[in-house]
């Protein structure tokens, strides 16, 4: 029985699925966060997938991860921890580092280059699609923030980041002024009511209102 089959049939499963973070899978197993990775490029093609982690508590050198259907499965190995200083390097460290370098140069980098080439090719084909020439094609392009409509407006309407920041600051100032004005009005009304009440109390102490009563 191979390792994948063994873990799938007899391994312990984490209740909470886990997603890739910083290029590795770092599930919490037995109360400790552990890092796992693989040289299988197909695993990296699913960066948003939630993976169920299956492990053997007596051997955590590798784990099994699978999607919700349990049909897509990958065997991940524990990330090899390299020493921070060269003088602390021990036997086997260099070989593990070389494996990563070779994978990056021979597998990962060519894959990234091919993805970019294919993306450019698709974008080029789309730009030359009949009916999408001129401004029709331009209106489909967005900037790094996914915006496109603002570039269709006259140049005088487009505001720079500095102008937008100044506009936000001005609105904040106006809001604070309005708040202060409302507070001052409330305080003035309160002071007026208190003054009227104090005058009324004073008048009741010095004026004999019975003298002003009209006898029938």
């Amino acid at each position: 029985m191979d390792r994948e089959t063994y873990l799938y049939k007899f391994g312990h499963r984490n209740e909470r699925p886990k997603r890739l973070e910083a290029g590795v899978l770092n599930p919490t197993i037995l109360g400790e966060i552990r890092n796992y990775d693989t040289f299988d490029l197909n695993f990296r093609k699913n960066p948003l997938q939630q993976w169920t982690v299956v492990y053997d508590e007596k051997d955590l050198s590798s784990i099994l991860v699978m999607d919700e259907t349990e049909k897509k499965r990958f065997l991940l190995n524990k990330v090899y921890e390299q020493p921070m200083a060269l003088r602390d390097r021990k036997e086997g460290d260099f070989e593990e580092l070389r494996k990563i370098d070779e994978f990056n140069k021979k597998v990962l980098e060519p894959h990234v280059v091919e993805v970019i080439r294919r993306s450019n090719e698709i974008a080029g084909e789309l730009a030359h699609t009949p009916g999408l020439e001129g401004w029709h094609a331009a209106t489909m392009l967005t900037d790094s923030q996914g915006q496109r409509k603002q570039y269709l407006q006259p140049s005088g309407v487009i505001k720079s980041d500095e102008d937008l920041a100044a506009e936000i600051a001005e609105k904040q100032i106006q809001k604070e002024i309005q708040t202060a004005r409302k507070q001052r009005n409330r305080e003035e009304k309160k002071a007026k009511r208190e003054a009227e009440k104090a005058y009324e109390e004073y008048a009741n102490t010095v004026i004999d209102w019975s003298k002003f009563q009209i006898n029938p």
Side-chain angles (χ1 to χ4, degrees):
M1 183 182 299
D2 59 21
R3 178 69 173 173
E4 178 180 335
T5 304
Y6 166 75
L7 289 174
Y8 180 68
K9 291 184 176 295
F10 304 107
H12 298 275
R13 302 189 180 189
N14 270 3
E15 295 182 359
R16 297 181 60 182
K18 191 67 177 178
R19 181 181 296 173
L20 274 175
E21 295 182 10
V24 298
L25 198 74
N26 52 359
T28 300
I29 301 177
L30 301 179
E32 182 179 343
I33 298 178
R34 307 170 190 269
N35 298 323
Y36 291 88
D37 202 355
T38 178
F39 289 124
D40 189 341
L41 193 60
N42 291 320
F43 175 70
R44 295 177 177 271
K45 294 179 180 179
N46 303 274
L48 301 180
Q49 176 65 49
Q50 295 276 6
W51 300 102
T52 297
V53 175
V54 187
Y55 64 93
D56 178 6
E57 59 184 6
K58 295 182 179 180
D59 181 7
L60 297 176
S61 60
S62 61
I63 61 173
L64 178 67
V65 297
M66 53 190 180
D67 66 357
E68 61 277 1
T69 66
E70 299 188 2
K71 294 181 179 180
K72 185 181 295 184
R73 303 195 293 262
F74 295 94
L75 194 64
L76 308 185
N77 296 317
K78 186 177 180 181
V79 173
Y80 191 89
E81 297 183 0
Q82 290 284 344
M84 298 298 294
L86 292 177
R87 64 182 179 182
D88 296 331
R89 182 170 289 178
K90 59 183 182 296
E91 184 179 355
D93 290 343
F94 177 77
E95 287 72 15
E96 293 296 330
L97 186 60
R98 185 174 60 183
K99 290 180 182 179
I100 296 176
D101 290 337
E102 290 181 352
F103 172 77
N104 290 339
K105 293 179 180 179
K106 296 181 180 180
V107 180
L108 188 58
E109 291 180 6
H111 169 71
V112 173
V113 171
E114 175 60 23
V115 170
I116 295 176
R117 185 199 66 79
R118 181 54 183 163
S119 298
N120 290 336
E121 182 179 311
I122 294 175
E125 294 175 354
L126 181 61
H128 292 88
T129 300
L132 289 179
E133 299 178 355
W135 72 272
H136 291 287
T139 54
M140 297 183 63
L141 302 178
T142 64
D143 60 12
S144 59
Q145 297 180 344
Q147 301 297 319
R148 64 179 180 85
K149 291 184 178 180
Q150 62 178 358
Y151 299 102
L152 302 179
Q153 300 174 352
S155 57
V157 179
I158 301 176
K159 300 179 180 179
S160 64
D161 293 340
E162 291 78 8
D163 292 337
L164 291 175
E167 182 177 330
I168 293 174
E170 179 65 22
K171 289 182 179 179
Q172 182 63 28
I173 293 174
Q174 293 297 329
K175 183 178 180 180
E176 293 176 356
I177 292 175
Q178 292 178 0
T179 301
R181 185 178 298 154
K182 291 179 180 179
Q183 180 65 22
R184 186 175 64 252
N185 291 337
R186 286 195 295 267
E187 292 176 353
E188 290 178 352
K189 290 180 180 179
K190 181 179 179 181
K192 183 178 180 180
R193 289 195 301 268
E194 292 177 350
E196 291 176 349
K197 182 178 180 181
Y199 178 77
E200 182 178 350
E201 293 176 352
Y202 171 76
N204 289 332
T205 60
V206 299
I207 300 175
D208 185 2
W209 296 103
S210 63
K211 294 180 179 181
F212 299 95
Q213 293 181 356
I214 302 175
N215 296 323

